[in-house]
Amino acid sequence: MDFELRILGSSSATPSANRHHTAQLLTIDNQLHLIDCGEGTQMQLMLYKIKHQRISNIYISHLHGDHYFGLAGLLSTMHLQGRQQPLHLFGPPGLSEILSLQLKYSGTNLCYKLVFHELDTSIYRKIYEDKKITVHTLPMEHRIPCCGFLFREKPKPRPLIKENLPGFLTPPQLVRLKWGEDIRDEQGQVLVRNAVVTLEPKRSRSYAYCADSRYKPDLLPFLKGVDLLYHEATFTDDLRERAHYTFHSTARQAAEMATAAEVRHLLLGHFSVRYKDLTPLLEEAKEVFAKTDLATEGSIFCVQE
């Protein structure tokens, strides 16, 4: 099953010639989740040959323009191209009002159902669940209400060892074995021991998106051991005071968070346009956390089972 993150945009408030506003696409088992939707996102989707009609959920972290100014255009294009399936939109208070006004005064009546889920950005809470994953909000510390998102796969079934299975098992009993149960008779005696007929399940994967925020150590319990952590790194650490004043983080602080949370892989993003060359940010983070990469346009990061 796929678990793949593609970076569409990596710039902070002002875009540059080669860096777009924040947007990411997380693919989990062929389901597409768009995380933030800065200006130009639909152009990036076309550049990388991603069919935006396949996007099922969109998550907006906060209402600074570099994180959502591309949303109205994307929704309009989906409408013009005849989208039929519902689209779920998760965002902070005010987003629904903004979109309603844009659609009202453009005379647009969407041909598909837009299901809006208003978020409480101040708490850790489950906002989405299907058969395979859950999504939770991560409360950020920014100038306006802002949250990140934590994507986790649910526990996976144990593979059956077919040659070890006795022939008398029923389909419901096979399902119970896949989920770790022993099979017992009416008297409670074990007929089939799970450990003999199953293998260990594949690992459940996770991705944490930490949007615009000051360094926030109280997030660590939620981030513990995640496979892939994206953390904003607007500045290098010589501008730590400016980062704090503007409610942002430095590359070193992102690496400190990754180290403390014992994550597997750190991605840096949301770069200030003052950095034409991003090498200083990467080197600064790598001094603290070696497994660090830049989340730059077109990059793909796959998490293996």
Side-chain angles (χ1 to χ4, degrees):
M1 186 170 75
D2 294 335
F3 198 109
E4 175 185 287
L5 180 72
R6 182 187 284 269
I7 307 302
L8 304 176
S10 67
S11 188
S12 59
T14 305
S16 64
N18 60 348
R19 293 206 295 268
H20 295 72
H21 280 154
T22 301
Q24 301 181 0
L25 192 75
L26 181 64
T27 302
I28 304 177
D29 193 26
N30 292 318
Q31 187 175 29
L32 274 56
H33 301 262
L34 180 65
I35 307 168
D36 278 338
C37 188
E39 185 178 354
T41 294
Q42 64 175 318
M43 303 300 292
Q44 289 293 90
L45 291 169
M46 287 189 285
L47 175 64
Y48 300 122
K49 296 179 171 54
I50 299 166
K51 296 180 179 180
H52 51 248
Q53 299 289 26
R54 291 183 54 214
I55 296 171
S56 58
N57 293 3
I58 299 178
Y59 307 83
I60 302 298
S61 62
H62 65 297
L63 295 183
H64 280 156
D66 54 321
H67 292 260
Y68 86 98
F69 275 173
L71 182 58
L74 178 59
L75 298 181
S76 178
T77 298
M78 290 177 171
H79 165 72
L80 292 171
Q81 294 184 350
R83 182 185 179 102
Q84 295 182 349
Q85 67 270 35
L87 178 67
H88 290 264
L89 174 61
F90 302 80
L95 181 57
S96 178
E97 180 183 0
I98 291 169
L99 291 174
S100 295
L101 284 172
Q102 290 176 316
L103 295 172
K104 174 183 177 181
Y105 287 106
S106 66
T108 302
N109 184 19
L110 296 178
C111 63
Y112 58 91
K113 185 177 182 180
L114 182 62
V115 184
F116 182 67
H117 305 265
E118 187 171 287
L119 303 178
D120 183 344
T121 62
S122 66
I123 60 174
Y124 173 79
R125 187 180 69 181
K126 184 168 65 178
I127 58 172
Y128 175 77
E129 181 177 18
D130 60 26
K131 292 181 179 179
K132 295 182 178 178
I133 69 166
T134 60
V135 184
H136 287 74
T137 49
L138 295 169
M140 300 288 111
E141 185 179 348
H142 199 41
R143 288 196 298 110
I144 63 174
C146 179
C147 66
F149 303 101
L150 176 61
F151 298 79
R152 286 191 181 276
E153 286 185 317
K154 292 182 175 180
K156 298 177 180 178
R158 302 175 67 89
L160 298 173
I161 306 173
K162 292 183 180 180
E163 56 271 24
N164 291 1
L165 293 172
F168 60 80
L169 291 170
T170 65
Q173 288 175 325
L174 292 173
V175 171
R176 287 160 56 192
L177 285 169
K178 286 184 176 182
W179 292 106
E181 294 184 37
D182 293 330
I183 302 302
R184 300 175 181 272
D185 61 20
E186 294 180 356
Q187 287 71 43
Q189 299 298 314
V190 175
L191 296 177
V192 182
R193 196 168 298 281
N194 183 274
V196 176
V197 298
T198 68
L199 300 172
E200 288 296 316
K202 291 184 177 180
R203 194 171 56 83
S204 297
R205 296 164 291 185
S206 53
Y207 173 56
Y209 174 81
C210 287
D212 296 15
S213 179
R214 283 174 174 167
Y215 178 65
K216 200 169 187 290
D218 55 350
L219 288 175
L220 289 174
F222 309 126
L223 303 178
K224 200 72 172 178
V226 300
D227 290 294
L228 193 60
L229 168 66
Y230 167 87
H231 197 291
E232 75 125 281
T234 308
F235 302 106
T236 47
D237 210 54
D238 58 310
L239 294 175
R240 183 176 285 224
E241 289 187 8
R242 177 167 179 76
H244 184 79
Y245 175 76
T246 58
F247 289 83
H248 287 295
S249 298
T250 71
R252 180 173 293 276
Q253 288 175 323
E256 290 170 351
M257 185 74 79
T259 300
E262 299 178 331
V263 307
R264 289 171 175 258
H265 192 175
L266 170 66
L267 304 180
L268 305 178
H270 200 262
F271 309 115
S272 168
V273 291
R274 73 182 65 215
Y275 303 107
K276 308 304 180 187
D277 177 11
L278 299 176
T279 304
L281 291 107
L282 181 61
E283 291 179 345
E284 177 176 289
K286 279 181 170 286
E287 289 177 0
V288 178
F289 190 81
K291 185 61 174 174
T292 302
D293 282 298
L294 300 172
T296 51
E297 281 70 1
S299 299
I300 298 175
F301 302 95
C302 298
V303 180
Q304 301 300 321
E305 288 184 300

